[in-house]
Amino acid sequence: MPHFTVDEICAAMQKPDNIRCLSVIAHVDHGKSTLTDCLISKAGIISAKAAGDARFTDTRADEQERGVTIKSTGVSLFFDYDKEDGKGMIGHLINLIDSPGHVDFSSEVTAALRVTDGALVVVDCIEGCAVQTETVLRQALQERVKPVLMVNKVDRGILELQMDGEDMYNQFRNVVENVNVIVSMYMDDKIGDIQLDPSFGTVAFGSGLHQWAFTLMTFAKIYGKKFGIETDKMMKRLWGDNFFGKNKEGKNVWTTNANLDGNTLRRAFCQFIMDPICNLCQAIMAEKTEMIQKMLKGVGVELKGDDKHLTGKQLLKKVMQTWIPAGDALMSMFVMKLPSPITAQKYRVENLYAGPLDDECAQAIAKCDPKGPLMMYISKMVPTSDKAASTPSAASSPGPSPRVRRCASRARSTTRAPGRRRA
């Protein structure tokens, strides 16, 4: 059963500050639909066991058969989030659209981006930025849609390529830098600085298939309490050339040099984040029972019931999604780093409205005013056959009034729609 009620959804709809509208965009097979399953599972719409294999947003039979998203599919999720620890949970409405990654269906991506304010850009950490990654990201920036980044399929680097923490860090850094090169090429000044930086919490790392992910904030909250450092400052120390070790006096110190008093130090990102993750994954796959139990106790994960008898990748999936669930990390990033409609409409109104920007309609759109004139935006037009239009039921139905015809004509002339794709 979903973890929310219709009343909670309706209540959240009345608070635009607590609404986030976003599209999931990426190159084909980089894991968009699988990752979307994690978010839908977090909302309780599908079970955690089914997530990853269900491909909930692939609603067509041919999509399920081919394993490729063809049409954009939207879903609304409810998420309780505590922005200030211990100050109370606030309900947020997340309107999510899973879009195709294949180049032949680019018009579907455009249609999705037109009606969203943010975008989750998914990149395979091994393959890196591909051709379609640049295409969909360029489309997003042209629509003044603010991006956040998910570096996906980290499990491949750990399990298949046996990469250590430092190798993983270098791979992640290359992906982030390549995405930022694209962002700097196409970004609009009116949207502000949207460069992606893990230390600002706009980048997540994880595995959609195994349903785990983290941002630097995930671990900064844990280590910040241990070291007595504020979360924001701790996030900056967990990325880049920041190292942690002991000096000659035996005191723990932070430094930007890899060498301290003749000792080689581990990068803080590797020492505090990737090393524990890699060690836990490798211990589970090697079935080192004693080490696994010790590490699970250290990270606060307790297996119950039948989960205690799991082995291999099934155990790995259960442990990781319990320890650092992807839904929590991604939903928190959406709430904290993506704009609400009230914020986004101020700079997106020029793209959404073709009329003069000083009239009543434009002002209402920019302010996201619920009391303004009723407006409708056509993002996608679906062509129908002439045969369907000439059926007896259609022919016998009364036509629209002259006023409706004029409104429809005006809507067609003042809105933009993506071009039709050849069959």
Side-chain angles (χ1 to χ4, degrees), residues 78-118:
F78 185 82
F79 177 61
D80 273 324
Y81 182 68
D82 188 0
K83 290 186 178 181
E84 301 177 14
D85 293 341
K87 296 295 179 68
M89 307 296 283
I90 300 175
H92 287 77
L93 175 62
I94 311 293
N95 295 317
L96 184 74
I97 300 179
D98 179 27
S99 61
H102 198 282
V103 65
D104 286 350
F105 313 124
S106 294
S107 61
E108 290 288 320
V109 180
T110 305
L113 291 170
R114 289 268 168 85
V115 292
T116 52
D117 307 316

Side-chain angles (χ1 to χ4, degrees), residues 95-385:
N95 295 317
L96 184 74
I97 300 179
D98 179 27
S99 61
H102 198 282
V103 65
D104 286 350
F105 313 124
S106 294
S107 61
E108 290 288 320
V109 180
T110 305
L113 291 170
R114 289 268 168 85
V115 292
T116 52
D117 307 316
L120 174 63
V121 184
V122 184
V123 179
D124 186 324
C125 75
I126 305 302
E127 294 184 10
C129 287
V131 176
Q132 193 66 2
T133 306
E134 179 175 354
T135 301
V136 295
L137 189 51
R138 183 182 71 243
Q139 287 178 289
L141 297 174
Q142 288 173 344
E143 296 292 336
R144 295 180 184 169
V145 171
K146 186 176 182 180
V148 290
L149 175 64
M150 170 65 183
V151 181
N152 197 25
K153 301 190 181 182
V154 177
D155 57 299
R156 289 185 61 195
I158 299 173
L159 302 179
E160 294 179 18
L161 303 181
Q162 299 291 311
M163 299 169 70
D164 63 9
E166 187 67 23
D167 291 335
M168 297 295 291
Y169 169 79
N170 290 327
Q171 190 74 14
F172 295 160
R173 187 186 61 185
N174 289 337
V175 170
V176 174
E177 288 178 352
N178 290 337
V179 172
N180 277 329
V181 168
I182 300 171
V183 170
S184 63
M185 288 173 60
Y186 300 109
M187 74 176 186
D188 192 319
D189 292 336
K190 291 187 178 181
I191 197 175
D193 184 14
I194 52 174
Q195 289 283 305
L196 300 165
D197 189 339
S199 62
F200 292 158
T202 53
V203 180
F205 310 89
S207 167
L209 182 63
H210 291 168
Q211 300 174 50
W212 60 268
F214 66 89
T215 63
L216 293 192
M217 183 179 290
T218 307
F219 288 92
K221 288 181 178 180
I222 299 171
Y223 292 114
K225 292 179 181 179
K226 181 179 180 180
F227 291 108
I229 301 174
E230 294 179 4
T231 301
D232 292 342
K233 293 181 179 179
M234 192 67 199
M235 288 173 67
K236 294 179 181 178
R237 292 186 178 184
L238 290 176
W239 187 255
D241 293 330
N242 289 293
F243 303 86
F244 181 79
K246 295 182 181 294
N247 58 15
K248 289 181 178 180
E249 289 76 25
K251 295 182 178 179
N252 293 326
V253 295
W254 292 89
T255 177
T256 56
N257 296 317
N259 296 303
L260 178 66
D261 298 331
N263 297 322
T264 301
L265 304 179
R266 291 284 288 165
R267 190 182 303 276
F269 178 82
C270 303
Q271 183 177 349
F272 294 116
I273 300 178
M274 284 314 302
D275 285 353
I277 291 176
C278 291
N279 292 338
L280 179 57
C281 292
Q282 290 166 358
I284 291 174
M285 296 307 296
E287 298 185 358
K288 298 179 180 179
T289 307
E290 293 184 4
M291 185 182 294
I292 293 171
Q293 292 176 349
K294 184 179 179 180
M295 296 181 75
L296 291 184
K297 186 177 180 181
V299 298
V301 174
E302 182 181 356
L303 298 177
K304 299 179 181 179
D306 295 338
D307 295 336
K308 294 180 180 179
H309 306 294
L310 297 175
T311 58
K313 287 189 176 181
Q314 290 182 332
L315 176 60
L316 175 62
K317 180 177 180 179
K318 183 62 182 179
V319 168
M320 294 301 290
Q321 71 183 40
T322 304
W323 178 28
I324 44 177
D328 288 347
L330 293 175
M331 290 288 201
S332 300
M333 184 167 64
F334 299 158
V335 170
M336 296 297 293
K337 301 303 175 182
L338 291 181
S340 66
I342 288 182
T343 302
Q345 300 307 84
K346 293 177 182 177
Y347 55 79
R348 294 199 68 219
V349 61
E350 295 179 23
N351 291 41
L352 299 174
Y353 186 66
L357 297 178
D358 56 353
D359 69 2
E360 182 185 8
C361 297
Q363 293 298 316
I365 293 174
K367 296 176 182 178
C368 208
D369 184 5
K371 296 181 180 179
L374 178 62
M375 302 291 293
M376 180 181 293
Y377 184 82
I378 300 174
S379 176
K380 181 171 70 170
M381 294 186 181
V382 181
T384 58
S385 63

Side-chain angles (χ1 to χ4, degrees), residues 6-22:
V6 175
D7 291 339
E8 287 176 319
I9 289 282
C10 292
M13 289 174 65
Q14 306 306 315
K15 301 175 182 177
D17 283 322
N18 297 339
I19 297 175
R20 300 292 183 271
C21 302
L22 67 139

Side-chain angles (χ1 to χ4, degrees), residues 31 33-41 46-56 207-211 317 321:
S33 298
T34 304
L35 198 62
T36 303
D37 274 4
C38 299
L39 301 173
I40 295 172
S41 171
I46 61 175
S47 67
K49 291 183 179 180
D53 298 321
R55 298 181 68 91
F56 181 84
S207 167
L209 182 63
H210 291 168
Q211 300 174 50
K317 180 177 180 179
Q321 71 183 40

